[in-house]
Every structure is written in C-alpha cells, then in structure tokens.
Amino acid sequence: IVQVMEECMTELKKSKHVDTSELTVEAGLFKSFDRIIQRQLDPVWNVVSRRVKQVVWDLRTLRNLANFLLRYDAVTFLRYLETLRLTEGSMSMWMFTQHAHTIFEQA
C-alpha cells in the first residue's frame, strides 16, 4: 500500500498546484494528508486536471485501505478490496499499478 501511495505522490509532485515538500507517504499514514492537499487545491480546483483530482481521491482511498488492513480480518479486507475494484474500477489510477496487483494477489 505504501508503494502505491509513493507512486501517487510522485504523480502529484508533477503538478504545479501542490506544494509536496513537506508531504511524505510515511506522514500520510498517520495524518490525513489528502485533506492537506485538498486544502491546497481548493482555490484552483476548477482548473486542476482530472488526473490530479484522481490522485487526490486515490490517496484518500489508499489511506483508508491502510487503516482497514489493520482493523479488519482477512475476509472482510478482501471483500472491501473487491468492492473497491467494482466501484472505482476504471476511474482509479492506483488499481492499474503493479503494486496494486500485488495487494489484490496477497489479500
């Protein structure tokens, strides 16, 4: 999950609208950096690319996924992953990474 978050952060760093200097994946596991990023983007949300918006949504999903991994049993976690696959499917960028495949395979 952390590796997928790192890929999303790399994509986010390409945006000129977000200051990612203080945002790290490790810090994001413990505090809601998706909200920090959202606050940075609020003034320009209407001009931000669809790709950047999707990365913000993906980071929120991945943060929840990391939390659920610790809270749920294996069967419930797998069901949640399968639900994500159905609901986010083609819209989500993180699901098409190699590391996401590993997450689904290991679950």
Side-chain angles (χ1 to χ4, degrees):
I1 295 173
V2 171
Q3 291 170 333
V4 178
M5 291 176 83
E6 286 174 355
E7 290 180 22
C8 287
M9 287 298 294
T10 301
E11 188 65 35
L12 197 61
K13 288 178 182 181
K14 295 177 185 176
S15 170
K16 62 182 178 182
H17 300 292
V18 180
D19 175 22
T20 58
S21 59
E22 296 181 13
L23 301 175
T24 64
V25 174
E26 292 80 13
L29 292 173
F30 300 105
K31 62 181 184 179
S32 186
F33 69 80
D34 54 291
R35 290 185 187 149
I36 295 169
I37 294 169
Q38 183 70 48
R39 273 189 248 125
Q40 287 183 22
L41 290 173
D42 275 344
V44 292
W45 190 253
N46 59 336
V47 296
V48 172
S49 71
R50 171 83 169 112
R51 188 172 185 88
V52 171
K53 290 177 183 179
Q54 187 61 52
V55 169
V56 173
W57 293 324
D58 286 351
L59 285 170
R60 183 176 300 128
T61 299
L62 290 164
R63 187 170 185 283
N64 286 334
L65 192 62
N67 185 26
F68 294 161
L69 179 63
L70 299 175
R71 291 179 46 204
Y72 296 151
D73 61 88
V75 173
T76 305
F77 184 73
L78 179 59
R79 284 187 191 146
Y80 178 71
L81 278 175
E82 290 171 348
T83 301
L84 280 179
R85 184 179 282 168
L86 292 174
T87 57
E88 294 191 8
S90 62
M91 296 183 315
S92 176
M93 292 173 20
W94 75 270
M95 284 203 193
F96 298 103
T97 65
Q98 180 60 39
H99 297 296
H101 176 72
T102 304
I103 292 170
F104 281 93
E105 190 176 84
Q106 294 297 317

